[in-house]
Amino acid sequence: MSKTLEVVNPYSLAPVGHVTTSDWKGVNALLETAHTLFRQSNSRIPAYQRITILKKVAHLMEERFEELALQIASEGGKPLVDARVEVKRAIDGVELCVHEIGQLTGREIPMELTEAGSGRIAFTQREPIGVVVAASAFNHPLNLIVHQVAPAVATGCPVIVKPAPDTPLSCLAFVSMLYEAGLPQDWCRAVICDNAVAEQMITDTRVGFLSFIGSARVGWMLRSKLAPGTRCALEHGGAAPVIVAQDADINAMIPLLAKGGFYHSGQVCVSVQRVFAPKAKAKEIAQKLADVATALKVGDATDPTTDCGPLIRPAEVDRVEAWVDEAIAGGAKLIAGGKRLGATTYAPTVLLDPPSDARVSQSEIFGPVICVYTTDSTAEAIETANSLPFAFQAAVFTKSLETAMQAVHELDATAVMVNDHTAFRVDWMPFAGRRHSGYNTGGIGYTMHDMTQDKMAVIKLV
């Protein structure tokens, strides 16, 4: 049975909107409609029309720029200054989809390499993979939706998107703009539903591709239950490591590490979490990070002067508090923060040398906490950085090309940033986790490739 879900500001917990949830009967009907659309190949929207629709969407987003940014801050708790950056990225992502439509090309397959192939020509084309189901996360409530939904629209796949229940309003705004731009509604539907209905939808045999952004526990569970033939991309989290070499420019490094660790109060899958520093410099680095941390303003994300907003739910504040308290009890030195500031906020925190078995050292904290560890060598730092089952993005700070290339070669990560923080990203680059951190590759062009498949024609010449 459908219900009404209240959406609240995660700082004040005051209502900012409400949405209607869907039961399985409603979702099943949407799946059947989407599957029928896909099977009727003659009804697919031609590329030039998809281009026109996406260009109009980008224009509508530009017109509603401040409205979208305020909505991100209101429902997701991302500071307004960063919410504006998210809107800009989302617009760029839609425009990138337009560009990538022209890159979805096939190729000629040489046939006369053997006698058996002689007298034939062959070529491939890219065609839509099927119904896309996208399950999204709360931390980038507009840009993640763009990364999952716009590529489906661009490739001609019907798509059903399930936004995070904490942040559905930005998703609904984007889907509404797709309709306004001319996309027939049956080609993109947003559903807000409980986990049981979501799992039933995701594992249905009519689903061609699953795009999932969320926890590793849920992502791997869903992958194990996918119907035969369903392809997927899973984006989970990590505990991003930073290697600091002896020759690193510390003063240049500190603002980058602070931004990478405290941006969106650490609620980013590649947020700076573990900083491995030489013994002679670790305390200095921790103190300089602490100086930045204590100067940050924590509060309501809709206040333009706020640097760090709330955590998404009060229970997350409880969890981060418990993890930090555990680390301090185990011997970590508290350099800054280490306390809740209210029911919904936690102070930007710097810890020096937490125990290796503490949860802040072993798992993704997804909160405003940076841990600095004393190490004896770059080799030791890399070995420790690689010791967890997570492998996403990493970083190294050094003036030495040799050290930089050692880190690039030896760090278990899909991307290694040299003299930059771990959370750096542009939306056309590959973005992916290894091992527990994910499966397949994100990034607009990569996602569009995954949402299409090759079809080959072999023509025998008469």
Side-chain angles (χ1 to χ4, degrees), residues 255-263 266 268 270-273 370 421-423:
L256 295 169
L257 292 185
K259 182 64 177 178
F262 299 132
Y263 164 69
V268 179
V270 285
S271 177
V272 170
Q273 181 171 332
I370 298 177
H421 61 72
T422 59

Side-chain angles (χ1 to χ4, degrees), residues 107-111 120-124 456-459:
R107 65 188 184 94
E108 182 184 354
I109 308 299
M111 298 303 291
R120 294 167 176 81
I121 59 172
F123 59 89
T124 62
M456 183 172 66
V458 181
I459 303 170

Side-chain angles (χ1 to χ4, degrees), residues 249-263 272 288-289 292 370 397 420-421:
D249 185 337
I250 293 177
N251 289 330
M253 174 184 73
I254 294 301
L256 295 169
L257 292 185
K259 182 64 177 178
F262 299 132
Y263 164 69
V272 170
K288 286 180 180 291
L289 284 170
V292 176
I370 298 177
F397 284 84
D420 208 344
H421 61 72

Side-chain angles (χ1 to χ4, degrees), residues 315-398:
E316 290 301 292
V317 181
D318 297 338
R319 180 187 59 78
V320 170
E321 181 181 49
W323 286 26
V324 171
D325 289 351
E326 171 195 82
I328 294 171
K333 299 177 183 66
L334 177 64
I335 311 300
K339 61 183 179 181
R340 65 166 62 232
L341 301 177
T344 59
T345 52
Y346 195 84
T349 296
V350 179
L351 300 175
L352 179 61
D353 286 324
S356 61
D357 60 351
R359 282 178 288 185
V360 296
S361 301
Q362 289 289 315
S363 301
E364 180 182 36
I365 191 160
F366 224 61
V369 180
I370 298 177
C371 302
V372 180
Y373 301 86
T374 300
T375 58
D376 291 322
S377 66
T378 298
E380 178 196 355
I382 291 174
E383 182 180 0
T384 307
N386 288 343
S387 64
L388 301 185
F390 312 105
F392 210 141
Q393 296 197 162
V396 59
F397 284 84
T398 181

Side-chain angles (χ1 to χ4, degrees), residues 169-351:
L169 302 179
S170 295
C171 172
L172 294 175
F174 180 70
V175 172
S176 177
M177 284 185 284
L178 283 172
Y179 299 159
E180 190 175 341
L183 183 72
Q185 293 189 14
D186 286 341
W187 283 89
C188 178
R189 295 289 190 176
V191 298
I192 294 88
C193 59
D194 63 30
N195 291 338
V197 172
E199 181 177 333
Q200 194 169 358
M201 171 176 65
I202 287 166
T203 58
D204 193 275
T205 57
R206 291 165 290 187
V207 176
F209 188 85
L210 166 66
S211 172
F212 174 85
I213 302 174
S215 74
R217 178 185 62 82
V218 175
W220 293 117
M221 178 274 291
L222 291 172
R223 180 173 179 259
S224 73
K225 296 183 177 183
L226 292 180
T230 302
R231 275 37 174 182
C232 71
L234 311 177
E235 184 184 308
H236 304 144
V242 177
I243 309 300
V244 181
Q246 287 282 357
D247 62 351
D249 185 337
I250 293 177
N251 289 330
M253 174 184 73
I254 294 301
L256 295 169
L257 292 185
K259 182 64 177 178
F262 299 132
Y263 164 69
H264 200 6
S265 293
Q267 297 171 114
V268 179
C269 60
V270 285
S271 177
V272 170
Q273 181 171 332
R274 299 179 296 150
V275 178
F276 299 98
K279 186 176 297 184
K281 298 186 177 182
K283 188 173 181 180
E284 176 192 0
I285 290 168
Q287 186 57 58
K288 286 180 180 291
L289 284 170
D291 293 342
V292 176
T294 54
L296 295 172
K297 179 180 177 180
V298 181
D300 188 345
T302 62
D303 180 345
T305 65
T306 292
D307 299 304
C308 292
L311 298 187
I312 191 64
R313 292 178 293 276
E316 290 301 292
V317 181
D318 297 338
R319 180 187 59 78
V320 170
E321 181 181 49
W323 286 26
V324 171
D325 289 351
E326 171 195 82
I328 294 171
K333 299 177 183 66
L334 177 64
I335 311 300
K339 61 183 179 181
R340 65 166 62 232
L341 301 177
T344 59
T345 52
Y346 195 84
T349 296
V350 179
L351 300 175

